[in-house]
Amino acid sequence: MDGIVKIIDSGEAKGFTYSMIYTGIRMAIAEEFGIDERFFLAEVAEILGVSEEEAKRQMMKLNSEGTAENYKA
């Protein structure tokens, strides 16, 4: 529990919202344990500090780049 409190305190010190801190904790847990975590567009936009439209554009770009990478010989 102390670790989570430290993460929250650190996020607060950096000016993150509780929503951003919570999303960051979810991301860290998913990465640590290999969990396939899903995020809402609004969460992605908040973490990136952009509009939902811009977040969607960036995700679509990454998706198309990843798809292209998968098909390179």
Side-chain angles (χ1 to χ4, degrees), residues 1-16 18 21 25:
M1 188 68 163
D2 289 336
I4 293 174
V5 171
K6 287 179 184 178
I7 292 170
I8 294 170
D9 290 344
S10 173
E12 288 177 324
K14 293 177 183 174
F16 295 161
Y18 286 112
I21 294 167
I25 290 171

Side-chain angles (χ1 to χ4, degrees), residues 24-70:
I25 290 171
R26 285 177 49 209
M27 288 171 54
I29 290 171
E31 186 173 324
E32 179 70 24
F33 296 102
I35 298 169
D36 185 24
E37 183 66 73
R38 307 289 172 134
F39 297 93
F40 288 104
L41 182 59
E43 294 170 318
V44 173
E46 183 176 27
I47 290 293
L48 294 175
V50 299
S51 68
E52 288 187 26
E53 293 79 22
E54 177 61 17
K56 184 176 181 179
R57 188 192 69 71
Q58 289 183 26
M59 289 189 300
M60 297 293 285
K61 181 180 179 199
L62 288 171
N63 186 46
S64 67
E65 289 173 359
T67 302
E69 286 291 320
N70 290 338

